[in-house]
Amino acid sequence: MTSSSHGEHTSPVEVISITDDGIRLRCGKDREFLAFEDFPWFRGESEDRVKNVRQLSAGHYYWPDLDIDLSLEIIRHPARFPLKAH
């Protein structure tokens, strides 16, 4: 995580909270919510594994410990992308 000289947050992506219902993600200046109902792969995982997220490119995020790869489009519109994994 990096900061500018004025203390402004500049990290491209960060998990800022984990609740019983899902994950709150900061993507630059935006915040997104990933509900476990839509993204069940995160449910029951350790905080360390969920918080280990990287931005691969603009709007493309990867959790290496979980091998989960999501775009901002999928995060914002999960109904458009039905679950394929069993």
Side-chain angles (χ1 to χ4, degrees):
M1 189 179 328
T2 60
S3 296
S4 72
S5 60
H6 300 290
E8 180 182 330
H9 186 274
T10 58
S11 178
V13 64
E14 176 186 15
V15 173
I16 54 176
S17 68
I18 303 169
T19 69
D20 290 339
D21 299 320
I23 300 162
R24 180 121 357 242
L25 190 67
R26 180 186 348 232
C27 308
K29 294 183 180 187
D30 295 327
R31 287 177 176 59
E32 305 296 336
F33 184 72
L34 289 76
F36 291 141
E37 182 178 317
D38 296 318
F39 302 97
W41 317 286
F42 295 104
R43 186 187 311 268
E45 292 293 344
S46 73
E47 182 176 338
D48 288 342
R49 290 169 56 101
V50 173
K51 286 190 168 189
N52 183 20
V53 58
R54 306 284 181 257
Q55 179 172 294
L56 298 180
S57 60
H60 188 185
Y61 309 108
Y62 182 61
W63 285 260
D65 295 337
L66 305 172
D67 196 28
I68 297 172
D69 183 341
L70 298 172
S71 70
L72 195 52
E73 181 74 11
I74 293 170
I75 292 169
R76 288 183 175 165
H77 308 285
R80 294 182 189 169
F81 303 91
L83 298 176
K84 302 280 191 229
H86 299 283

